[in-house]
Amino acid sequence: GGCWHQCCPGRNNTCWAPGTHRARCYCDSYCERTGDCCEDYHAACRRAAVGCVVGPWGPWSGCSSPCGVGSKARSRQVTVPPRHGGEPCPDLKQRRGCLGEHPTCGTAK
């Protein structure tokens, strides 16, 4: 058995092939950590591995609270998804705190 037919990113227990002595060998990128990769894993999967590529961060949103403590968020898109056990994608969303200071805040008190 071998990985020529499939290569999977991350930990994927369904990504296996029959190995020697009726034991399973794996074709997911996690098999490198556990040491149970199929013999052809490196030739079939690592050579064809494509790491995730993401675009630039978008602009921060407005503060979720017009007056007082709130949060802002921004995101980015995947431009090239990971394939064949390549590096997984980094975070696509970020959030940070903010202080809403709308001109009407002072009069609301």
Side-chain angles (χ1 to χ4, degrees):
C3 297
W4 59 270
H5 63 290
Q6 67 178 350
C7 297
C8 306
R11 186 174 197 159
N12 185 340
N13 288 335
T14 64
C15 192
W16 62 274
T20 56
H21 308 296
R22 289 190 253 176
R24 290 181 178 181
C25 62
Y26 290 86
C27 302
D28 59 352
S29 56
Y30 199 77
C31 74
E32 292 186 288
R33 290 187 185 172
T34 55
D36 54 3
C37 297
C38 293
E39 288 182 15
D40 66 343
Y41 173 77
H42 286 279
C45 299
R46 296 307 296 168
R47 182 174 35 174
V50 175
C52 183
V53 179
V54 294
W57 286 107
W60 286 101
S61 67
C63 193
S64 63
S65 174
C67 302
V69 177
S71 63
K72 292 182 174 189
R74 68 178 181 172
S75 62
R76 58 185 172 182
Q77 301 295 318
V78 173
T79 56
V80 178
R83 290 191 298 276
H84 309 302
E87 281 295 310
C89 294
D91 288 339
L92 300 176
K93 294 185 179 187
Q94 284 184 334
R95 186 173 300 277
R96 72 178 185 192
C98 60
L99 189 59
E101 296 177 352
H102 192 270
T104 60
C105 293
T107 60
K109 294 178 184 175

